[in-house]
Amino acid sequence: MNKIVLITGATSGIGLGCAKKFAENGDKVILTGRNEQRLAEIERELTEKGAQVLMLAFDVRDREKAKQLMAELPEEWREIDVLVNNAGLALGLEPEYEGDLDEWETMIDTNIKGLLLMTKLVVPGMVERGRGHIINVGSVAGDAAYAGGNVYCATKAAVKALTDGLRIDVADTPIRVTNLKPGLVETNFSNIRFHGDTDRAAKLYTGIKPLTGDDIADVAVYAANAPAHVQIAEVLILATHQASGSVIVRK
């Protein structure tokens, strides 16, 4: 049975990978993100391949806009089967005592509060219908802090706790909850973290073949299509030469 899949942060990286993979799977996809022009390009690309796509341009930090657009969903798009809470970012790599308060707030508002907002807007309908799947994109960074990761690691630790808590809350329903925890993934993540310093971002991937957004999307699609009695609760996905958030062997 084809599903309706809502993906936040769908304009690049893991979110874009999920958009393409779920569309290839025959699912209807709702794409959300801040960049309306990029969303329109992706919508056009997927539609030309025969996918059914709906784009919603909003920032998950904007509670009122998100509530408005979700309330205005066309009837045929309302019964969301899979929510992929992917929107997230890291900013800076300074010691905690030298961090930027505004950057901390942006990470917390996006990675934690944005996830909670979308959960609040989508999951009650799943509970009412008696079906659904929430896939939260966490990180290996949520398992243990690494140098300079401080607040970002804390937000991903929160994603793990919130995912585990939600799984407990819906354990009496058929709804499934998954935490995907990627390691080193080559996306524009590092460009954002380093404020557009492409050279610095590229060095992060030197000497190792990192994961791609498509690699993580493959796991998301697998989890969403597992038999109804199978709940893929948590998956840690690392590049072959990465052992943990802080141990990477470069060759």
Side-chain angles (χ1 to χ4, degrees):
M1 174 179 149
N2 293 344
K3 303 177 179 67
I4 298 175
V5 182
L6 188 152
I7 304 159
T8 67
T11 56
S12 64
I14 295 171
L16 178 57
C18 286
K20 292 178 177 179
K21 294 289 184 176
F22 277 106
E24 288 171 6
N25 191 57
D27 298 314
K28 296 169 64 175
V29 291
I30 302 173
L31 311 179
T32 85
R34 295 175 296 170
N35 188 332
E36 187 168 359
Q37 180 178 343
R38 182 65 182 129
L39 281 175
E41 291 171 357
I42 297 165
E43 180 186 38
R44 183 167 58 252
E45 176 187 338
L46 296 180
T47 300
E48 287 174 354
K49 294 179 179 178
Q52 297 183 69
V53 184
L54 178 68
M55 56 170 270
L56 301 177
F58 68 90
D59 189 326
V60 293
R61 294 177 296 168
D62 188 340
R63 181 187 302 183
E64 295 310 314
K65 185 69 171 179
K67 288 168 64 176
Q68 175 198 335
L69 291 178
M70 292 299 293
E72 295 173 355
L73 278 175
E75 190 64 34
E76 64 272 22
W77 289 90
R78 288 182 178 274
E79 295 190 0
I80 296 165
D81 298 291
V82 181
L83 168 63
V84 181
N85 273 317
N86 165 72
L89 77 167
L91 293 169
L93 204 60
E94 295 79 23
E96 190 170 323
Y97 58 88
E98 294 179 356
D100 184 287
L101 287 168
D102 290 333
E103 291 184 348
W104 292 352
E105 188 168 303
T106 298
M107 286 188 281
I108 291 167
D109 285 351
T110 305
N111 301 0
I112 301 176
K113 292 165 70 175
L115 179 147
L116 283 170
L117 171 63
M118 295 309 299
T119 300
K120 175 66 175 174
L121 293 176
V122 175
V123 175
M126 292 180 172
V127 173
E128 184 178 337
R129 292 186 295 274
R131 71 175 192 275
H133 193 155
I134 302 93
I135 300 175
N136 290 335
V137 179
S139 172
V140 62
D143 288 344
Y146 55 78
N150 44 75
V151 174
Y152 173 71
C153 294
T155 66
K156 289 304 184 178
V159 170
K160 172 175 172 52
L162 292 170
T163 306
D164 291 346
L166 180 60
R167 192 180 304 110
I168 293 166
D169 291 338
V170 298
D172 63 338
T173 78
I175 294 167
R176 300 182 294 186
V177 185
T178 299
N179 183 16
L180 299 184
K181 304 191 300 183
L184 197 62
V185 184
E186 187 168 13
T187 66
N188 68 344
F189 175 90
S190 294
N191 278 330
I192 293 171
R193 165 169 258 173
F194 300 134
H195 306 289
D197 187 336
T198 305
D199 291 340
R200 187 180 179 192
K203 288 178 182 177
L204 190 64
Y205 310 110
T206 300
I208 186 171
K209 183 175 177 58
L211 302 168
T212 67
D214 286 351
D215 293 328
I216 310 308
D218 283 336
V219 182
V221 172
Y222 173 79
N225 288 280
H229 71 288
V230 177
Q231 178 169 214
I232 309 298
E234 186 172 283
V235 185
L236 176 64
I237 312 138
L238 301 175
T240 298
H241 294 294
Q242 179 177 16
S244 69
S246 57
V247 177
I248 298 171
V249 178
R250 303 180 188 275
K251 297 184 177 182

